[in-house]
Amino acid sequence: MLQQDIRVRFAPSPTGPFHIGGARSALFNWLLAKKYNGKFIMRIEDTDLERSTKESEENIKDALQWLGITWDEGTDVGGEYGPYRQTERLDIYRTYTKQLLNEGRAYHCYCSEAELDEERQLQSDKGETPHYGGKCLHLTQEEKENFIAQGRKPTVRFHVQENKQIIFKDMVRDTVSFDSNGVGDFVIVKSDGIPVYNYAVVIDDALMKITHVIRGEEHLSNTPRQIVLYEALGFTPPTFGHISLILGADRTKMSKRHGATSVEKYRNLGYLPEAIVNFLALLGWSPGGEKEFFSLEELIEEFSMERVAKNPAVFDVDKLNFISAQYIKKATPEVITELALPHLRQAGYIGEELSAKDREWLTQVVALLQEYISYAAEIVNHIDLFFTEKVEFENEEAAEVLRDEDVPAVIKSFCEKLQGLDVVDAPSVKAILKSITKELKLGGKKVFMPLRVVVTGKMHGPDLDKIIALIGRDKILNRITSTLAKI
């Protein structure tokens, strides 16, 4: 059982669109906090000054809020452990840097990038793990002054003790061990005075009293550096949990060639946030039973780090679409219509402005097509039958349906009855279809199939009576005439 005063954080770098992997890390942290009535902190790690943008920060926050992930402390809601943006905490980092320098746990390094590259290459050539050899650890004052006179701006390196095992217990991977000799003295402050990730994150997590850090497996190699910093600064390390990588269907690291990688793109395609959350939760976490559809409340109740897998999670778009389709079916037509509008406009089916009448008609069309789509953008693949003037047969088999000997009588009866209707709606159309089967003494398929093909060009699809009612009497009759002319 975990402690009750859990404090977790999600600390993205605002350097681009919010990646789906980041969303999963945020979700797992949020679920753990909610399960134990803890706190979820949103912190912005923007020390990459060249690449960090306000636009990316807003993109991340908007995506999290869209997914239903809210935070208890952060840049825009405040909290007692702020500021929550790293560039606003530089004075805090400087204080601890001075402490480490004064205690001899850190030192200034004047090595140039060219010198460091050469050292790494020599180590690689010898089959050694590249690491800093400590060249500047014991510089004399005179040597330091020489470097300063040359205009070299030093970095600050942390001195790692040799021949030490760095051991920690991971929530996912159990006991993990690193040899300090393979870590080497590493930079904690760049030459421009900006702290590096591994340094700032330790100070931030410690001062913000973070108890658990759930993050991607790619951060596992950062953990030994962070642990030695915790110890040197007198802080207690949090409990770490490194969740698996997300791979594409070909089991290589997920990238754009596997499809959309940002939350924003899935949102723009018209996926529902509940579906994305449900899918993300199942990427590397397994519920206790066979159930695979969960609300946020159910995920909070069921979630546990004990059931998070070590093995890589595969981002299966087909599985996502299967889950998403179930949520699409349950949503109101009004919601799906709103999500579909930009895609219908882009495809040229509708204009920028819709009258109330057209909006009501379109919503009825969407309601009819909901069960055939996995996300709103897919509506454009199915809606053509409501807008086209000319019917195209989907295949030769469909065209062959209209060559049956009973078809002329079916079509003639249908056209006469349709013209005689006072109101063309689904119930009245359904009634005349049934009456044709009785009058002509034909099975339902002999009536419904040719009428479906002559109206839509397809042999399967939504309820025929609803299709006919939504397309309208005049357009239906015109279609029948033009389609039969092709036979």
Side-chain angles (χ1 to χ4, degrees):
M1 174 65 75
L2 293 170
Q3 62 198 65
Q4 297 302 302
D5 54 343
I6 281 177
R7 287 177 60 83
V8 298
R9 50 74 170 174
F10 180 61
S13 297
T15 55
F18 187 33
H19 194 276
I20 206 80
R24 182 189 60 160
S25 294
L27 176 63
F28 281 18
N29 277 284
W30 185 85
L31 290 173
L32 190 73
K34 291 297 178 183
K35 185 177 181 72
Y36 293 99
N37 198 30
K39 298 292 185 183
F40 178 79
I41 291 85
M42 172 71 165
R43 190 173 70 225
I44 299 297
E45 298 188 345
D46 60 344
T47 53
D48 186 341
L49 302 180
E50 290 184 1
R51 297 171 61 220
S52 295
T53 66
K54 186 68 175 175
E55 181 185 10
S56 290
E57 182 179 329
E58 292 305 316
N59 176 277
I60 292 167
K61 291 193 288 191
D62 286 348
L64 287 172
Q65 289 170 337
W66 177 69
L67 292 170
I69 299 174
T70 55
W71 42 98
D72 303 291
E73 300 172 25
T75 54
D76 48 358
V77 298
E80 60 180 306
Y81 300 104
Y84 294 91
R85 185 177 286 107
Q86 284 187 336
T87 51
E88 298 173 8
R89 298 173 61 82
L90 298 180
D91 287 342
I92 297 172
Y93 308 136
R94 290 189 191 103
T95 299
Y96 286 100
T97 303
K98 287 178 184 176
Q99 176 186 322
L100 292 174
L101 288 168
N102 291 337
E103 294 174 353
R105 301 303 302 271
Y107 59 93
H108 288 107
C109 173
Y110 296 86
C111 294
S112 68
E113 277 303 314
E115 290 168 338
L116 293 171
D117 287 342
E118 183 180 357
E119 180 182 36
R120 284 191 286 265
Q121 188 59 55
L122 286 171
Q123 290 170 337
S124 293
D125 291 344
K126 294 178 183 177
E128 300 173 0
T129 302
H131 63 279
Y132 185 67
K135 180 179 177 182
C136 293
L137 177 58
H138 301 296
L139 289 178
T140 65
Q141 187 60 35
E142 183 181 355
E143 288 171 320
K144 291 178 184 178
E145 289 172 1
N146 269 339
F147 283 131
I148 293 171
Q150 292 172 26
R152 294 199 187 192
K153 293 184 177 180
T155 60
V156 178
R157 284 188 183 272
F158 180 79
H159 178 46
V160 179
Q161 296 176 23
E162 296 179 348
N163 305 317
K164 181 181 177 183
Q165 289 297 304
I166 305 166
I167 302 170
F168 64 96
K169 196 170 182 65
D170 191 276
M171 286 186 283
V172 178
R173 295 163 199 286
D174 202 21
T175 302
V176 182
S177 176
F178 288 88
D179 187 338
S180 68
N181 294 335
V183 176
D185 294 354
F186 57 92
V187 173
I188 57 173
V189 181
K190 294 180 287 187
S191 58
D192 61 1
I194 301 298
V196 301
Y197 162 76
N198 278 319
Y199 183 45
V201 73
V202 166
I203 294 170
D204 292 342
D205 284 346
L207 297 185
M208 293 180 188
K209 302 188 184 302
I210 301 302
T211 61
H212 296 75
V213 171
I214 303 171
R215 58 191 182 186
E217 182 185 348
E218 64 271 18
H219 287 287
L220 190 60
S221 60
N222 289 324
T223 311
R225 290 175 170 81
Q226 293 170 14
I227 286 177
V228 294
L229 282 169
Y230 276 107
E231 293 172 352
L233 293 167
F235 298 139
T236 301
T239 300
F240 293 100
H242 291 89
I243 56 182
S244 62
L245 292 173
I246 298 178
L247 304 180
D250 59 359
R251 303 194 72 81
T252 61
K253 188 174 181 181
M254 189 180 173
S255 64
K256 290 179 181 178
R257 64 192 175 86
H258 295 113
T261 59
S262 71
V263 174
E264 183 179 35
K265 286 190 176 179
Y266 287 99
R267 181 179 184 178
N268 290 342
L269 283 169
Y271 284 85
L272 293 168
E274 306 95 308
I276 297 294
V277 165
N278 196 147
F279 176 71
L280 288 178
L282 298 176
L283 278 180
W285 170 75
S286 300
E290 296 298 315
K291 184 176 178 180
E292 55 184 348
F293 295 99
F294 297 88
S295 66
L296 269 178
E297 292 71 24
E298 290 169 332
L299 284 173
I300 293 167
E301 179 68 27
E302 293 279 344
F303 185 77
S304 72
M305 289 301 294
E306 287 78 10
R307 301 195 68 85
V308 173
K310 298 178 186 177
N311 299 327
V314 175
F315 192 98
D316 184 344
V317 174
D318 291 337
K319 180 66 177 291
L320 167 61
N321 288 341
F322 169 74
I323 290 174
S324 179
Q326 315 312 311
Y327 284 92
I328 291 284
K329 287 175 186 175
K330 293 177 183 176
T332 66
E334 288 76 15
V335 166
I336 306 305
T337 301
E338 188 64 32
L339 294 176
L341 286 177
H343 304 287
L344 294 172
R345 289 192 179 106
Q346 186 177 12
Y349 286 113
I350 59 173
E352 285 300 317
E353 299 297 328
L354 273 182
S355 67
K357 183 179 179 182
D358 287 344
R359 178 70 174 246
E360 182 183 357
W361 176 82
L362 185 61
T363 302
Q364 292 178 54
V365 170
V366 170
L368 198 55
L369 297 176
Q370 266 179 261
E371 65 177 287
Y372 299 95
I373 63 174
S374 299
Y375 51 94
E378 279 193 324
I379 201 86
V380 299
N381 300 330
H382 301 272
I383 206 167
D384 184 59
L385 70 93
F386 292 97
F387 289 89
T388 187
E389 295 295 327
K390 295 181 179 179
V391 171
E392 298 294 337
F393 299 122
E394 63 178 347
N395 50 40
E396 182 56 33
E397 185 183 358
E400 192 62 32
V401 167
L402 297 184
R403 298 188 178 99
D404 186 88
E405 62 180 2
D406 295 314
V407 168
V410 170
I411 299 294
K412 181 175 182 294
S413 177
F414 173 74
C415 291
E416 290 175 352
K417 292 180 184 299
L418 183 63
Q419 287 173 322
L421 287 178
D422 293 328
V423 177
V424 179
D425 56 18
S428 62
V429 172
K430 192 171 187 178
I432 67 173
L433 292 174
K434 284 186 176 181
S435 69
I436 293 171
T437 62
K438 289 181 180 179
E439 291 172 10
L440 298 180
K441 296 182 172 56
L442 294 172
K445 187 175 180 180
K446 285 272 192 177
V447 172
F448 283 76
M449 185 65 80
L451 286 174
R452 180 181 293 281
V453 170
V454 81
V455 168
T456 71
K458 297 176 172 56
M459 297 174 66
H460 305 282
D463 293 342
L464 183 59
D465 54 334
K466 294 177 181 176
I467 291 175
I468 292 168
L470 285 168
I471 293 174
R473 175 170 24 216
D474 292 343
K475 287 183 179 179
I476 288 291
L477 293 173
N478 288 336
R479 280 194 194 185
I480 290 173
T481 300
S482 63
T483 305
L484 289 178
K486 296 179 182 181
I487 302 300

